[in-house]
Amino acid sequence: MGVSGTGKTTLSVRLGAELGCPVLEGDAFHSAASVAKMRAGHPLTDADRWPWLDRLGRAIGEASSTRGIAVAACSALKRAYRERLAAASAVPMYFVLLDTAREEIARRMASRDGHYMPPSLLDSQLATLERPMPDERALTLDAARTPESLCAEVRAWLDLVPASR
Ligand SMILES: Nc1ncnc2c1ncn2[C@@H]1O[C@H](COP(=O)(O)OP(=O)(O)OP(=O)(O)O)[C@@H](O)[C@H]1O
Ligand SMILES: O=C(O)[C@H](O)[C@@H](O)[C@H](O)[C@H](O)CO
């Protein structure tokens, strides 16, 4: 989880490869209308996001049944979005927030080609972000670290989280 451009896709692909499990890309579950809206520079609303979170959550639940675990990249900006995603999946869900300085995120967004998300939406993403509370199953990491070290820390954390929690 985290705002656009923090490295969710990069980390999830790496983690999925290391764990040998399915990887789901949240961006692929948006409706065409939502993608067009973001491309045009308009932030999504809650109403835009609920059906997307339900679709992605169900897919996470299905994907995790094959290998016992699945990894997903999803902004999941608000607590209510994380709760919706977990409820739709019907499996235990653990969140990793990638968080770092605005300047670094803006630099990453500006430097990538062909992505529908315009850098102008970064401030709305940051304003919407509700960082996980202590009672959520969540780990916060500095997104400025290397993908290798982020991946290693997530794996160490997952091993320490009891499966029944
Ligand atoms: N740990 C990292 N260190 C340096 N650059 C990174 C790191 N992770 C990702 N990047 C680069 O930052 C850019 C954004 O990464 P990525 O697409 O993984 O982010 P994202 O959070 O999935 O974005 P979005 O939600 O907008 O799809 C890419 O150009 C990627 O190569
Ligand atoms: O909830 C949202 O506003 C969206 O998921 C956005 O965060 C983007 O789709 C994603 O980050 C790709 O840039």
Side-chain angles (χ1 to χ4, degrees):
M1 64 164 287
V3 303
S4 181
T6 42
K8 303 180 296 293
T9 299
T10 304
L11 177 59
S12 64
V13 168
R14 185 177 189 106
L15 193 57
E18 290 192 13
L19 296 175
C21 72
V23 179
L24 292 98
E25 174 51 63
D27 288 350
F29 288 77
H30 282 303
S31 67
S34 288
V35 173
K37 195 170 175 178
M38 289 184 275
R39 198 187 293 281
H42 304 294
L44 300 183
T45 62
D46 286 356
D48 296 319
R49 288 179 176 127
W50 298 131
W52 164 64
L53 294 164
D54 287 339
R55 280 193 296 277
L56 177 59
R58 282 194 298 270
I60 292 170
E62 286 160 20
S64 63
S65 68
T66 59
R67 302 290 299 231
I69 188 168
V71 179
C74 174
S75 48
L77 298 176
K78 296 185 186 179
R79 181 176 185 139
Y81 298 167
R82 297 188 284 279
E83 290 172 353
R84 185 82 170 228
L85 203 54
S89 76
V91 293
M93 192 174 281
Y94 303 90
F95 292 91
V96 177
L97 169 63
L98 292 178
D99 204 9
T100 199
R102 185 191 180 284
E103 301 72 52
E104 170 62 12
I105 305 171
R107 193 190 59 73
R108 290 184 189 180
M109 288 178 84
S111 67
R112 64 183 175 180
D113 285 333
H115 199 288
Y116 60 77
M117 196 73 175
S120 61
L121 280 181
L122 176 56
D123 287 326
S124 136
Q125 293 270 300
L126 288 168
T128 307
L129 176 64
E130 294 172 3
R131 293 181 175 80
M133 302 293 286
D135 64 325
E136 294 188 70
R137 298 163 172 162
L139 175 70
T140 296
L141 296 176
D142 184 351
R145 292 166 50 180
T146 63
E148 292 86 333
S149 92
L150 292 170
C151 200
E153 186 156 346
V154 173
R155 292 185 59 177
W157 178 66
L158 287 175
D159 282 344
L160 295 173
V161 179
S164 59
R165 251 182 66 185

